[in-house]
Amino acid sequence: MPVELRAGDAGFAEAFDRLINDKRETSHDVNAVVAEILEAVRRDGDAAVLAYTKRFDRLDLTAETLRVTADEVEAAYAACDPDLLDVLELAASRIRAYHERQLPESFHYTDDAGVRLGSRWRAVQAAGLYVPGGTAAYPSSVLMNTLPAKVAGVQRLVMCVPTPDGKLNPLVLAAAKIAGVDEIYRIGGAQAVAAMAYGTATIAPVDKIVGPGNAFVAAAKRQVFGTVGIDSIAGPSEILVVADGANDPTWIAADLLSQAEHDTASQSILITTDAAFGKAVMQAVETLLETLPRAEIARKSWADHGAVVVVDSLDAAVPLVDQVAPEHLELAVDDPEPLAEKITNAGAIFLGRHTPEAIGDYVGGPNHVLPTARSARFSSGLGVVDFMKRTSLLGCDARSLAGIGPAAVKLADAEGLQAHGLSVSLRLGKPGE
Amino acid sequence: MPVELRAGDAGFAEAFDRLINDKRETSHDVNAVVAEILEAVRRDGDAAVLAYTKRFDRLDLTAETLRVTADEVEAAYAACDPDLLDVLELAASRIRAYHERQLPESFHYTDDAGVRLGSRWRAVQAAGLYVPGGTAAYPSSVLMNTLPAKVAGVQRLVMCVPTPDGKLNPLVLAAAKIAGVDEIYRIGGAQAVAAMAYGTATIAPVDKIVGPGNAFVAAAKRQVFGTVGIDSIAGPSEILVVADGANDPTWIAADLLSQAEHDTASQSILITTDAAFGKAVMQAVETLLETLPRAEIARKSWADHGAVVVVDSLDAAVPLVDQVAPEHLELAVDDPEPLAEKITNAGAIFLGRHTPEAIGDYVGGPNHVLPTARSARFSSGLGVVDFMKRTSLLGCDARSLAGIGPAAVKLADAEGLQAHGLSVSLRLGKPGE
């Protein structure tokens, strides 16, 4: 059964701390196996990728058939339910519109000292998206991971998706087509990450790799980090709902279950000002679980990690929310904006009684790749800047160097870095000072 | 001796690739020792921090003397050369002015579908700066690491600096005072990183840890990543100078040596259109090495990792620069801006003959914490956003949910996530659809 807590009760702080810091993930140490796969791909390129694909996906490919052809993509697209294609197009256009507002601005100016200064944003040259195979191959994730890269201006966008026994969800290919993915390879696991990071004869390397994956993929991403950039390693999903007593308990129960159904390690927490409402939500969860297809997963998540916390006021919820720093935060109250304003740590905030988190998973516009495991304290959802990098620009002429140069020489000397000082003082016409 | 290459020669591509991909760092596997230290601090708090400080820094502290007092900071400041304090103030004001332009903008809008959308930036609540002890305790690094946090609006800024045998560079404390650091602790190594990440009775935990350090500090930062945010792990310094034949060879030689003097693992490369000029620079390097205090380090770096590459034209340098993705790029030519525009990958670009890289290390304004080891392909120098995080906001009312909700239900069902769909359809008044 989920935990029931009341803020202010004896032992509450410890119990709440335990609730949110419980390690929910089972960690599999696959580092050694993954290191071996990465090394093999680095050394043997395509041959290693093909061998691992045969072994893990039972799929006999050649360098020529690694890549999904344009015809296959078209055929998959044509085979999709047209209504679903419309939905993907709607989602894509809303995601694109939101992310276009994230484009950072470069700036250039000359300051009072006559120094030219600038900051210039550019897209990374090539990015790779990992898409898990099987049940976790979500077309919505393809859109969420690729569209920020397209908006950023990434010129070459690669996707790897394993097709165990040759099976591939046509909606995933349709989403890739809609998003504008340039190359798709039917490979997965650590070998796919290695191919994108190091490159092979068939697959040119990329500069950044994003996307969710199993323990092998996560370990591979950690290990290639540095050779390429990576996004954060996603943990199990979380939702925190702050609700007063004026909500329909069934609506809120469905919201809690929408994260619980992802994974038995997911966490759903309700903070409410109304103890009776909290009980009603718990009851509604049980009722919904009776008919939910993924009830087994959701029930375990809710029982192991779920919680209902009763607080005296909405304001009393604020420090608890900041402590959790939830991936998803719903504010199911009449006037959510002032409450949102008081909260510092959350990946995404869903405002009001008519904004279930699932809207943001699909068609809201903001990204659904969000910081988990309390990392919203210091990190952000996936965005356009994750596919860009910033270069600083600095320009002096003889006059402006004469103005600020002597200070640099003094500080360089104080730090014992004489060549630093010399590179400035020579240009000031006073070598060796 | 440094490598001499000519673009277009047989074997050039391989030789250049070898040059820039040579692993320059010696890696020390200190992960096991560090894991032990982290665990001890997590378990025993202050007691463990004090024990390690006694062992590694030969310093007998108590929980009460861990923190550097305000009086000590004032005394250190008063003991500094007033000229150097002026220089630090100048540097701080220029760094502050530049970084203020980096503050990202939040946005809020309502789209045609009636959906409220937003993106909100907030500073992390607390940040910690690690400052190495001994010779690598650079006051300029204190400014570069703390001022972006202050500009971001970080409310609590902590600094840890080891004081082996009780010794501490007063300029480091002066820089901390000028930057506005709130708390300073005289501890270092993995134990300092652990104290900032997990907190102890004396040191409250932070959300983000930045700053350079030795192998133990780097390993500790990697291991606490997830519990807190970290900056990138800095590799050895690099400079790439693109110069035509119209420069003073001694100026360029000093620039190359200004990185070479950092570390024997540093890398300095000159790309020039003028072979004779390249020879003259190599000669000037030898001459400068005769009198340079850190000649031993610089000579080894230049001999082991230095290079002079001759190209036919400045344009021919562009793809080589992008391949290197240098931390520091100098464009020592008459009209550097158009050339800079052609280059995609560089941490910082220094424009023209009168902008030695060292200006940017101290008083230019942009940050000197920059991506190394080719990571400028996908990452950026330290900036204000590194101390902030973004929250997305989404708000529907009944009407706008009726507009975009059905699409979400369709996609949720297609992905087999029925609770997701249910959380929307219940609110549409059509449960179970």
Side-chain angles (χ1 to χ4, degrees):
Chain A
M1 287 305 293
V3 176
E4 293 178 75
L5 301 173
R6 180 179 271 277
D9 279 2
F12 170 76
E14 293 71 22
F16 191 72
D17 199 61
R18 214 159 38 236
L19 174 74
I20 67 172
N21 284 311
D22 254 6
K23 199 168 160 50
R24 288 177 277 134
E25 262 180 304
T26 322
S27 63
H28 303 282
D29 188 357
V30 297
N31 277 320
V33 181
V34 165
E36 201 178 292
I37 295 172
L38 296 185
E39 183 48 33
V41 173
R42 191 170 199 167
R43 190 184 55 229
D44 302 330
D46 285 339
V49 172
L50 296 171
Y52 285 118
T53 302
K54 183 165 185 178
R55 183 163 144 205
F56 296 130
D57 298 339
R58 297 160 302 281
L59 199 64
D60 223 337
L61 298 177
T62 64
E64 289 68 39
T65 58
L66 271 179
R67 185 163 171 181
V68 176
T69 65
D71 285 350
E72 287 175 275
V73 175
E74 292 303 330
Y77 185 90
C80 291
D81 171 358
D83 279 358
L84 274 171
L85 292 176
D86 286 347
V87 164
L88 287 179
E89 290 284 3
L90 172 72
S93 76
R94 293 188 58 85
I95 295 163
R96 218 179 272 120
Y98 180 85
H99 285 77
E100 275 164 3
R101 297 192 180 229
Q102 288 184 339
L103 272 166
E105 281 188 42
S106 298
F107 61 76
H108 299 274
Y109 65 105
T110 301
D111 70 9
D112 293 343
V115 179
R116 277 130 52 222
L117 292 144
S119 172
R120 195 187 73 184
W121 286 97
R122 287 271 173 96
V124 301
Q125 296 181 307
L129 164 64
Y130 187 86
V131 177
T135 55
Y138 296 135
S140 61
S141 288
V142 172
L143 297 182
M144 291 291 183
N145 279 280
T146 53
L147 288 169
K150 292 300 282 189
V151 170
V154 173
Q155 289 301 304
R156 180 174 163 256
L157 192 49
V158 174
M159 181 172 122
C160 285
V161 54
T163 61
D165 301 310
K167 289 189 194 101
L168 179 51
N169 182 349
L171 276 175
V172 163
L173 291 186
K177 175 182 151 79
I178 288 167
V181 173
D182 299 294
E183 303 164 21
I184 306 173
Y185 299 96
R186 58 186 111 238
I187 56 174
Q191 60 274 19
V193 174
M196 290 194 280
Y198 304 129
T200 71
T202 305
I203 305 172
V206 303
D207 299 306
K208 175 116 188 183
I209 298 176
V210 302
N214 63 17
F216 291 87
V217 171
K221 280 168 65 183
R222 277 186 197 277
Q223 289 186 28
V224 300
F225 176 57
T227 300
V228 296
I230 61 167
D231 58 352
S232 55
I233 308 285
S237 201
E238 309 150 9
I239 188 169
L240 175 56
V241 180
V242 175
D244 57 25
N247 290 280
D248 183 328
T250 307
W251 294 10
I252 302 300
D255 299 351
L256 295 169
L257 289 171
S258 74
Q259 294 310 302
E261 75 172 345
H262 269 300
D263 191 327
T264 55
S266 296
Q267 182 163 53
S268 305
I269 300 175
L270 168 65
I271 299 183
T272 181
T273 47
D274 184 329
F277 175 76
K279 291 280 184 201
V281 170
M282 291 179 72
Q283 188 51 55
V285 165
E286 297 306 321
T287 306
L288 289 179
L289 280 172
E290 284 166 23
T291 58
L292 207 63
R294 294 172 69 90
E296 202 179 333
I297 293 167
R299 182 176 284 117
K300 185 161 169 55
S301 160
W302 178 240
D304 291 354
H305 310 296
V308 174
V309 180
V310 179
V311 289
D312 288 336
S313 67
L314 289 174
D315 276 350
V318 171
L320 300 180
V321 171
D322 277 339
Q323 201 181 334
V324 176
E327 182 190 15
H328 304 107
L329 172 66
E330 281 186 20
L331 301 179
V333 299
D334 267 337
D335 191 18
E337 271 86 356
L339 186 57
E341 194 53 34
K342 294 177 187 168
I343 286 156
T344 304
N345 299 331
I349 302 181
F350 302 88
L351 301 161
R353 308 188 197 284
H354 282 84
T355 316
E357 181 278 328
I359 280 291
D361 280 340
Y362 295 116
V363 295
N367 212 286
H368 78 195
V369 180
L370 292 165
T372 57
R374 307 191 60 217
S375 64
R377 285 156 41 244
F378 53 81
S379 65
S380 311
L382 191 69
V384 170
V385 290
D386 292 305
F387 296 95
M388 303 185 81
K389 70 268 184 0
R390 185 173 18 84
T391 297
S392 63
L393 297 147
L394 184 67
C396 293
D397 54 18
R399 196 184 58 81
S400 56
L401 188 69
I404 65 171
V409 177
K410 248 191 198 90
L411 202 40
D413 285 348
E415 293 190 349
L417 296 171
Q418 278 77 7
H420 282 66
L422 196 60
S423 71
V424 178
S425 59
L426 282 169
R427 286 170 167 93
L428 296 172
K430 295 172 282 185
E433 181 187 298
Chain B
M1 289 303 295
V3 175
E4 294 179 74
L5 300 173
R6 179 179 272 277
D9 279 2
F12 171 76
E14 293 72 22
F16 191 72
D17 198 61
R18 214 159 38 236
L19 174 74
I20 67 173
N21 284 310
D22 254 7
K23 200 168 159 51
R24 287 177 278 133
E25 263 181 303
T26 323
S27 63
H28 303 280
D29 189 358
V30 297
N31 278 320
V33 182
V34 165
E36 201 178 291
I37 296 173
L38 296 184
E39 183 47 36
V41 173
R42 191 169 198 168
R43 190 184 55 230
D44 302 331
D46 285 339
V49 172
L50 295 171
Y52 286 119
T53 302
K54 183 163 185 180
R55 182 163 144 206
F56 296 130
D57 298 340
R58 297 158 303 279
L59 199 63
D60 224 338
L61 299 176
T62 64
E64 289 68 39
T65 57
L66 270 179
R67 183 163 171 181
V68 177
T69 65
D71 285 350
E72 286 176 276
V73 175
E74 291 302 331
Y77 185 89
C80 291
D81 172 358
D83 280 358
L84 274 171
L85 293 176
D86 287 347
V87 165
L88 287 179
E89 290 284 4
L90 172 72
S93 76
R94 294 188 56 86
I95 295 164
R96 219 179 272 120
Y98 180 85
H99 285 78
E100 275 165 3
R101 297 193 179 228
Q102 289 184 339
L103 273 166
E105 282 188 42
S106 299
F107 60 76
H108 299 274
Y109 65 104
T110 300
D111 71 10
D112 294 344
V115 180
R116 278 130 52 221
L117 293 144
S119 172
R120 195 186 72 184
W121 286 97
R122 287 272 172 96
V124 301
Q125 295 182 309
L129 165 63
Y130 186 87
V131 178
T135 53
Y138 296 135
S140 61
S141 289
V142 173
L143 298 182
M144 291 289 183
N145 279 281
T146 53
L147 288 169
K150 293 299 281 189
V151 170
V154 173
Q155 289 301 306
R156 179 171 163 259
L157 191 51
V158 174
M159 181 172 121
C160 285
V161 55
T163 62
D165 301 309
K167 290 191 193 100
L168 178 52
N169 181 350
L171 276 175
V172 163
L173 291 185
K177 176 183 151 80
I178 289 167
V181 172
D182 299 294
E183 303 165 21
I184 306 173
Y185 299 96
R186 58 186 110 238
I187 57 175
Q191 59 274 21
V193 174
M196 291 194 281
Y198 304 128
T200 71
T202 305
I203 306 172
V206 303
D207 301 304
K208 174 115 188 182
I209 299 176
V210 301
N214 63 17
F216 291 87
V217 171
K221 281 168 63 184
R222 277 186 197 276
Q223 289 186 28
V224 299
F225 176 58
T227 300
V228 296
I230 62 167
D231 57 352
S232 56
I233 308 286
S237 201
E238 308 150 10
I239 188 169
L240 175 56
V241 180
V242 175
D244 57 24
N247 290 281
D248 183 328
T250 306
W251 293 12
I252 302 300
D255 300 351
L256 295 169
L257 288 171
S258 73
Q259 294 311 301
E261 75 173 345
H262 269 300
D263 191 326
T264 55
S266 297
Q267 182 163 53
S268 305
I269 299 175
L270 168 64
I271 299 182
T272 181
T273 47
D274 184 329
F277 175 76
K279 291 282 185 199
V281 170
M282 291 179 73
Q283 187 52 55
V285 165
E286 297 306 321
T287 306
L288 290 178
L289 281 172
E290 284 166 23
T291 58
L292 206 63
R294 294 172 69 90
E296 202 178 333
I297 293 167
R299 182 176 285 119
K300 185 161 169 52
S301 159
W302 178 239
D304 291 355
H305 310 296
V308 174
V309 180
V310 179
V311 288
D312 288 337
S313 68
L314 289 174
D315 275 351
V318 171
L320 300 179
V321 171
D322 277 339
Q323 201 182 335
V324 175
E327 180 189 16
H328 305 107
L329 171 66
E330 281 186 21
L331 300 179
V333 298
D334 267 336
D335 191 18
E337 272 86 356
L339 186 57
E341 194 54 33
K342 294 176 187 169
I343 286 156
T344 304
N345 300 331
I349 303 181
F350 302 88
L351 300 161
R353 308 187 196 284
H354 282 85
T355 316
E357 181 278 327
I359 280 290
D361 280 340
Y362 295 115
V363 295
N367 213 286
H368 78 194
V369 180
L370 292 165
T372 57
R374 307 191 58 216
S375 65
R377 284 155 41 242
F378 52 82
S379 65
S380 310
L382 191 70
V384 170
V385 290
D386 292 306
F387 296 95
M388 303 185 80
K389 71 266 184 2
R390 184 172 21 82
T391 298
S392 63
L393 298 146
L394 183 67
C396 292
D397 53 18
R399 195 185 57 82
S400 56
L401 188 69
I404 65 171
V409 177
K410 247 191 199 88
L411 202 39
D413 285 346
E415 292 189 350
L417 296 172
Q418 277 76 8
H420 282 66
L422 196 60
S423 72
V424 178
S425 59
L426 282 169
R427 288 171 167 93
L428 296 173
K430 295 171 284 184
E433 180 185 299

